[in-house]
Amino acid sequence: MKRLVSLILCLSLALSVTIAYADLSTNEQSIGEVTAESKKLSDQKIAEMAKRLEVLNKKVSNGQVNPMSDPQIPPSKILSTSGYIAQPDNSTCGPTSAHNLLLSWGKNISIDTLKKDLGYNGQTPFGDAWKTTLNNYTNSTYYVVTWSPSQTTIWNAFVGDTIDGHPFILDTHMSSENGYLEGYSGSTWWHYVTGIGYSGYNLNSDNSKYGVYFDPYDGRVGTFGQHSLELPKWVKLVSERGIVW
């Protein structure tokens, strides 16, 4: 009898683990509202950040640092993730990533509050609610929503937002076609993570440039915490949605 109870318990635990992993593999993520004004703001930030990083990285002819190059862009930089937490369940990667991001701004906003603000309905849609929510809590106009960003824009987000001291959001669709973040394989996931840094700015090869991110999911071995991924691999991962930067 004891052996039967033990066997049933083991099977129940195994089933619960299977379900927990399966829940992260979802149907296609819904899309939130997207306005023409949001697209305009995105285009403006893309252009302004590209120009700004060009100026920051430029030196005058006598070899002295351009006075506008302050701060100079270091080869690598990673923001602090002190206080960052794991998502409380399998479907709240969006609100949790937003919570972690806002901690870096000195704002401790509950996940339940962020679920309401971001329009969470079992999943978190990608759309203008992200821009509105992050800018409201940071009392800024810093964040914009960029759909299907180019490789250059993704890199400028990792570098530019990091030297500004501000994390940003990446909405990934992992699959055998798009590739995987650290710890994932063999299935399909729609998953939010927080961009927190970069490395390889001084290197010419794109494969030697890395975007550093924080993953809030701790339901699989090796997923939770800080990781880095080669720049070209980010393009497919965020191509179907995008970034909030």
Side-chain angles (χ1 to χ4, degrees):
M1 182 64 179
K2 288 183 178 180
R3 296 181 69 180
L4 177 60
V5 171
S6 177
L7 178 60
I8 292 172
L9 179 60
C10 289
L11 288 173
S12 298
L13 288 173
L15 178 59
S16 67
V17 171
T18 301
I19 292 174
Y21 288 172
D23 282 348
L24 187 63
S25 179
T26 65
N27 295 324
E28 183 172 358
Q29 182 191 79
S30 60
I31 298 175
E33 180 184 15
V34 184
T35 65
E37 177 65 17
S38 179
K39 176 66 165 60
K40 179 180 178 182
L41 292 172
S42 171
D43 290 343
Q44 288 176 351
K45 183 161 185 178
I46 290 171
E48 290 169 0
M49 187 65 84
K51 181 63 177 177
R52 179 178 161 216
L53 293 180
E54 179 185 352
V55 171
L56 285 173
N57 202 38
K58 199 174 284 185
K59 297 186 177 181
V60 296
S61 58
N62 62 5
Q64 297 298 310
V65 173
N66 187 316
M68 296 183 69
S69 301
D70 187 16
Q72 270 290 287
I73 304 172
S76 63
K77 182 175 181 179
I78 300 174
L79 302 176
S80 171
T81 57
S82 176
Y84 277 29
I85 63 172
Q87 60 193 78
D89 55 52
N90 293 330
S91 62
T92 52
C93 55
T96 306
S97 292
H99 169 85
N100 289 339
L101 177 153
L102 290 167
L103 287 177
S104 298
W105 285 77
K107 310 290 184 179
N108 189 352
I109 311 301
S110 74
I111 291 175
D112 284 342
T113 296
L114 289 166
K115 285 168 69 174
K116 295 176 183 177
D117 294 336
L118 294 171
Y120 173 86
N121 57 3
Q123 57 173 252
T124 306
F126 185 76
D128 286 357
W130 273 98
K131 169 182 64 69
T132 302
T133 298
L134 296 184
N135 286 339
N136 280 347
Y137 286 119
T138 59
N139 192 28
S140 74
T141 57
Y142 190 82
Y143 288 100
V144 301
V145 175
T146 298
W147 288 75
S148 304
S150 68
Q151 181 168 295
T152 297
T153 296
I154 295 169
W155 184 235
N156 287 347
F158 273 111
V159 176
D161 281 24
T162 299
I163 64 174
D164 284 345
H166 303 320
F168 70 103
I169 298 294
L170 301 110
D171 188 4
T172 70
H173 181 203
M174 293 180 276
S175 67
S176 57
E177 294 79 17
N178 294 347
Y180 295 94
L181 297 173
E182 186 71 28
Y184 302 89
S185 63
S187 190
T188 297
W189 291 272
W190 295 85
H191 190 46
Y192 287 98
V193 297
T194 308
I196 57 168
Y198 66 90
S199 66
Y201 188 80
N202 57 329
L203 302 176
N204 292 326
S205 170
D206 287 338
N207 287 319
S208 298
K209 297 176 181 178
Y210 288 80
V212 184
Y213 67 98
F214 188 94
D215 189 334
Y217 186 61
D218 64 354
R220 293 176 64 90
V221 175
T223 57
F224 179 73
Q226 177 182 309
H227 307 285
S228 61
L229 188 72
E230 297 97 319
L231 174 60
K233 293 183 178 180
W234 283 109
V235 180
K236 284 189 175 181
L237 282 171
V238 301
S239 64
E240 296 173 55
R241 292 299 181 264
I243 60 178
V244 190
W245 64 302

